[in-house]
């Protein structure tokens, strides 16, 4: 105490409180994805070092059960200086070297996952020139005064070394709720599905990802394409006061009739942020506030063929419009707001065509709709092959034919009368009664 003043008031958080708050709101699945993101950034760093195809020989292996979690990669590792000064800091310090086009910056993702999983973790990494390790007993660390993590002996070099650069993380003494989830097949299936969808581009580019011994296959986004049905493709670029720019690619079109796959896909630096999104955030059910005019309809199964893909790419990952957990878009981002307007412009003709397709099916029946027959026979193509700017195009109703034109006939009659005819004509449904009686009357009238 100086000059009669009391000592400064301490506002430092306790470590236990800080850790519990850090991990409270992050889903377990997202924590695993954060670690995979870091592996992919390792491969991206190799790309910045002029490695021709960084994902071609890249490997990520994940193993977990009720007793442990382990993730290993051969994606180049990171050095002692990065580990000491940046990687284990809570937040991204000024001066940290950024990975171009990164998806998992050294901010909170890795630390949050380690504390989320368990009470002991060991991290090892090796580059071509150096290797290091840390080993942390979390309850013991929480009782210590400082915030530093202790260096540890590197250990065996069978998996990673200076001759085989990469990173390995092992977490043991799992939290009880984590151990329970890691032991279930539902969690395994969820992780496989998320990695397959969120990292589809990197897997397609050659990255090998295995979960509990099973290799995850790539899945492609497909759109229907022929001479008369063509997806819309556009490109945009956004420049701030200084480089780097944000490049945007928007694709809209028609795919297979699968409601679970319909909607908008938003991709930032290769990482899928939104998949088959059908919320107002991506335009569905959009209203014009001043006049309460519907700009875009809410999603309905008649739009189950809609596919929209918007990809953002920037060397500075802070400029692409994702939130900090990479689970949604940043609605306030100027880049997103301007891109959103173009998304709606390109979405409109696809929605109009799908409305016309629905009308054609309703008028002619699903079996006899010429437009549905045309769409169903159109071949599909991966969206990655669409590299040229194009306007969405599709045939109008009546422009395609499928034999004689049919029209749906609908009417209602007393149930007892319909059931009587169903028994007399030995038919199985009211629809069949209507079709047979129509044919009988038509034949009689034509014979007269």
């Amino acid at each position: 105490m100086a000059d009669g003043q009391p000592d400064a008031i301490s506002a430092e958080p306790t470590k236990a409180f800080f850790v519990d708050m850090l991990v409270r709101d992050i889903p377990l699945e997202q924590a695993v994805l954060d670690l995979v993101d870091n592996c992919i950034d390792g491969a991206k760093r190799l790309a910045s070092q002029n490695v021709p195809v960084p994902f071609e020989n890249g490997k990520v292996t994940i193993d977990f059960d009720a007793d442990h979690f382990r993730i290993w990669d051969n994606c180049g590792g990171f050095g002692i200086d990065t580990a000491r000064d940046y990687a284990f800091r809570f937040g991204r310090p000024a001066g940290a070297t950024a990975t171009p086009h990164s998806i998992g910056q050294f901010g909170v993702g890795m630390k949050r996952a380690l504390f989320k999983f368990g009470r002991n973790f060991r991290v090892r990494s090796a580059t071509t020139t150096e290797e290091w390790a840390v080993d942390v007993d979390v309850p013991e660390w929480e009782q210590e005064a400082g915030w530093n993590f202790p260096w540890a002996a590197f250990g065996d070099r069978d998996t990673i070394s200076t001759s085989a650069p990469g990173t390995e993380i092992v977490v043991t003494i799992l939290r009880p709720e984590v151990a329970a989830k890691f032991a279930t097949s539902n969690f395994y299936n969820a992780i496989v599905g998320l990695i397959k969808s969120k990292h589809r581009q990197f897997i397609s580019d050659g990255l090998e990802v295995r979960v509990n011994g099973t290799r995850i296959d790539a899945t492609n986004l497909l759109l229907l394409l022929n001479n008369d049905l063509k997806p819309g493709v556009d490109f945009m670029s956004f420049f701030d006061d200084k480089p780097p720019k944000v490049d945007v690619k928007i694709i809209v079109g028609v795919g297979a009739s699968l409601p679970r796959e319909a909607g908008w896909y938003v991709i930032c630096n290769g990482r899928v942020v939104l998949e088959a999104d059908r919320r107002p955030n991506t335009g569905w059910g959009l209203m014009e506030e001043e006049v309460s005019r519907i700009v875009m309809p809410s999603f309905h199964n008649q739009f189950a063929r809609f596919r929209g893909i918007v990809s953002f790419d920037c060397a500075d990952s802070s400029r692409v419009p994702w939130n900090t957990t990479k689970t949604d878009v940043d609605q306030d981002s100027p880049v997103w707001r301007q891109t959103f307007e173009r998304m709606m412009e390109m979405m409109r003709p696809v929605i109009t065509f799908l409305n016309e397709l629905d009308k054609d099916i309703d008028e002619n029946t699903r079996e006899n709709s010429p437009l549905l027959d045309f769409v169903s026979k159109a071949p599909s193509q991966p969206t990655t092959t669409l590299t040229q700017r194009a306007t969405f195009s599709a045939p109008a109703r009546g422009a395609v034919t499928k034999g004689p034109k049919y029209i749906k006939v609908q009417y209602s009659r007393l149930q007892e009368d319909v059931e009587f005819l169903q028994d007399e004509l030995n038919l199985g449904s009211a629809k069949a009664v209507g079709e047979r009686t129509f044919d009988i009357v038509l034949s009689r009238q034509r014979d007269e």
Side-chain angles (χ1 to χ4, degrees), residues 13-43:
T14 64
K15 290 181 182 177
F17 172 79
F18 182 85
V19 168
D20 287 342
M21 293 301 294
L22 183 71
V23 304
R24 178 170 297 179
D25 295 326
I26 181 74
L28 194 57
E29 295 84 352
Q30 182 61 44
V32 174
L33 290 179
D34 280 344
L35 295 180
V36 179
D37 288 347
N38 286 340
C39 298
I40 291 170
D41 275 351

Side-chain angles (χ1 to χ4, degrees), residues 156-436:
D156 74 79
R157 291 171 174 78
D158 295 336
T159 52
I160 58 173
S161 64
T162 53
S163 58
T167 300
E168 179 187 55
I169 296 173
V170 178
V171 185
T172 55
I173 314 178
L174 302 180
R175 291 173 179 254
E177 67 276 14
V178 172
K181 289 196 76 171
F182 278 176
T184 66
S185 58
N186 284 342
F187 184 80
Y188 165 82
N189 292 333
I191 288 299
V192 169
L194 283 169
I195 293 175
K196 184 177 291 190
S197 65
K198 300 295 185 181
H199 299 103
R200 69 173 78 229
Q201 177 176 314
F202 309 115
I203 297 172
S204 295
D205 288 343
L207 182 69
E208 179 183 317
V209 182
R210 292 182 179 271
V211 178
N212 284 359
T214 300
R215 181 168 180 166
I216 298 178
D217 297 323
T219 57
N220 291 314
L221 292 172
L222 303 174
L223 291 179
L224 304 182
L225 187 152
N226 59 25
N227 289 336
D228 299 307
L229 180 61
K230 298 178 181 178
V233 183
D234 200 9
F235 301 89
M236 305 171 69
S237 291
F238 297 92
F239 300 85
D240 209 336
D241 295 336
K242 57 183 179 179
K245 63 184 174 67
V246 181
D247 290 316
V248 182
K249 180 180 181 180
I250 307 173
I251 302 174
V252 294
V254 175
S257 183
L258 296 170
R260 69 179 182 275
E261 295 184 8
W264 278 101
Y265 294 73
V266 179
I267 303 168
C268 292
N269 281 1
R271 165 72 139 78
V272 177
V273 177
L274 296 180
E275 183 176 27
D277 193 89
R278 301 184 288 270
R279 300 172 301 157
N281 292 29
T282 52
W284 296 96
L286 186 66
M287 298 283 290
E288 194 173 67
E289 294 182 2
E290 290 80 2
V291 293
S292 298
R293 181 177 66 89
I294 297 176
V295 177
M296 203 65 64
S298 298
F299 182 80
H300 185 275
N301 279 351
Q302 74 189 58
F303 305 126
R305 292 182 177 275
F306 176 84
R307 303 290 188 277
I309 304 98
V310 55
S311 302
F312 299 88
D313 188 81
C314 184
D316 181 356
S317 62
S318 67
R319 296 197 60 209
V320 294
W322 51 13
N323 63 4
T324 57
T325 56
K326 293 164 284 189
T327 56
D328 209 338
V329 296
D330 176 7
Q331 300 278 321
D332 296 325
S333 163
V335 170
W336 171 258
R337 290 200 302 269
Q338 293 179 66
T339 302
F340 181 80
E341 292 180 9
R342 183 61 181 140
M343 288 164 57
M344 295 304 97
E345 292 172 354
M346 295 178 67
M347 183 181 184
R348 183 70 261 177
V350 183
I351 294 299
T352 298
F353 171 71
L354 293 177
N355 281 332
E356 290 298 295
L357 175 61
D358 188 64
K359 291 177 183 177
D360 202 66
I361 293 171
D362 188 59
E363 181 177 312
N364 297 288
T365 74
R366 180 167 292 276
E367 294 77 13
N368 299 297
S369 165
L371 203 52
L372 178 60
D373 182 64
F374 167 83
V375 170
S376 300
K377 291 178 179 178
S380 59
Q381 188 168 318
T383 57
T384 52
T385 63
L386 303 172
T387 59
Q388 301 295 319
R389 183 176 274 109
T391 300
F392 174 78
S393 61
R397 289 181 66 200
V400 292
T401 58
K402 180 189 176 184
K405 184 176 181 180
Y406 285 76
I407 187 170
K408 182 184 289 187
V409 177
Q410 292 179 308
Y411 57 88
S412 300
R413 289 293 182 268
L414 286 174
Q415 180 177 340
E416 61 187 60
D417 292 341
V418 174
E419 291 175 348
F420 171 77
L421 287 177
Q422 190 171 324
D423 292 338
E424 289 295 313
L425 298 172
N426 194 28
L427 298 173
S429 67
K431 177 184 176 183
V433 169
E435 292 172 343
R436 177 66 65 83

